[in-house]
Amino acid sequence: MVKKSSRPLFTRTIQSTIALKQWIEETPELIQLDLNPGRLTGATDQTSAERDHTIQMFRSGDHKLLVVTNVVEQGVDVPDCNLVFRVNYIPSDTGHVQVKGRSRARGGKSYLVASSSYGNFRIREIDNKIRETLMTRVVREISEMSDDDFMVKINDQKRKMYRDLQKEKMKRIRHLEAGRHDYSSTEYHLHCIDCKAFACSSRDIFLV
């Protein structure tokens, strides 16, 4: 049975898990909640045995709160939780779905607590939600396809990718033959190590 008080608190770094755990243990209002927070991080900080022991403590209700890094996003068997908190922590779009999935207990909620000094979390969170919606739609559409229709879509996409690659290759060849160089910030420029003369840009290099 999942404890009503089971909660993970996600944060970005090992150091912040230490600081947050200490803050929870020293804050009078939180002490009264008897959270007995545990800490769960990766292999550079904790052994597999330590992580297993912490998860077991959480599963049994001895730890009512886990302060964790992204190690819990996937591959770690953490019990279903009622509340998921993220402190200045925005995962990738895939990680967003995985973190959200940690609040699988009935009526579970997921909350983001962010400081404006750490960047525009609101925009990144909205972007992740949009990607989650798109991924859900794509998975649903694929699951409803027949095997034949799926292979047709795959082959159409492969042909499109091949045509796009050929167009890009020809574009680079024309730029190289015309002696034109795009000095935008999205590319690298290669120079002779001796005379420092410009040799080519990264856009001129491609696989044949």
Side-chain angles (χ1 to χ4, degrees):
M1 179 180 295
V2 177
K3 303 287 184 179
K4 289 185 178 180
S5 55
S6 55
R7 313 171 180 97
L9 188 158
F10 284 85
T11 186
R12 295 176 60 243
T13 65
I14 292 172
Q15 290 74 18
S16 57
T17 65
I18 297 171
L20 280 168
K21 182 176 182 292
Q22 182 177 349
W23 174 73
I24 292 166
E25 292 172 332
E26 295 177 351
T27 301
E29 293 83 357
L30 297 177
I31 292 174
Q32 295 176 13
L33 299 177
D34 190 30
L35 295 172
N36 187 27
R39 202 170 61 84
L40 193 63
T41 59
T44 58
D45 180 54
Q46 294 178 330
T47 65
S48 177
E50 288 173 331
R51 292 196 297 273
D52 289 344
H53 177 70
T54 299
I55 291 172
Q56 183 55 43
M57 293 278 284
F58 185 61
R59 191 185 301 276
S60 66
D62 293 314
H63 289 319
K64 297 181 179 65
L65 175 71
L66 279 186
V67 185
V68 303
T69 58
N70 63 353
V71 69
V72 182
E73 281 186 14
Q74 56 183 328
V76 177
D77 184 19
V78 174
D80 295 356
C81 306
N82 287 79
L83 294 173
V84 173
F85 298 98
R86 288 174 289 136
V87 178
N88 292 328
Y89 180 81
I90 297 287
S92 64
D93 48 358
T94 304
H96 175 81
V97 175
Q98 292 164 337
V99 169
K100 184 178 178 181
R102 291 304 179 186
S103 58
R104 291 172 297 188
R106 190 170 185 176
K109 300 289 185 180
S110 178
Y111 296 95
L112 170 64
V113 181
S115 168
S116 59
S117 61
Y118 279 80
N120 198 331
F121 284 101
R122 179 178 175 81
I123 291 177
R124 292 168 60 191
E125 181 74 354
I126 291 173
D127 286 345
N128 275 340
K129 288 181 179 180
I130 292 172
R131 293 189 182 101
E132 178 187 356
T133 300
L134 292 175
M135 283 192 291
T136 301
R137 183 185 304 167
V138 169
V139 170
R140 184 179 64 251
E141 290 177 357
I142 290 176
S143 65
E144 293 173 352
M145 284 183 187
S146 67
D147 291 345
D148 290 340
D149 288 342
F150 179 74
M151 291 308 303
V152 169
K153 289 285 186 182
I154 291 296
N155 290 329
D156 286 346
Q157 186 62 28
K158 286 167 63 176
R159 284 191 289 268
K160 181 180 182 302
M161 290 175 63
Y162 178 77
R163 289 195 298 269
D164 291 343
L165 286 172
Q166 289 298 107
K167 288 179 181 178
E168 181 64 21
K169 184 170 73 172
M170 294 306 300
K171 178 181 177 182
R172 293 179 181 181
I173 290 174
R174 288 194 296 270
H175 273 253
L176 185 61
E177 290 175 344
R180 294 186 300 231
H181 307 294
D182 180 5
Y183 289 94
S184 70
S185 60
T186 58
E187 65 175 304
Y188 296 98
H189 304 134
L190 281 69
H191 297 259
C192 174
I193 194 171
D194 295 321
C195 67
K196 310 303 179 186
F198 175 82
C200 65
S201 75
S202 57
R203 289 178 180 269
D204 299 323
I205 302 173
F206 53 87
L207 295 175
V208 178

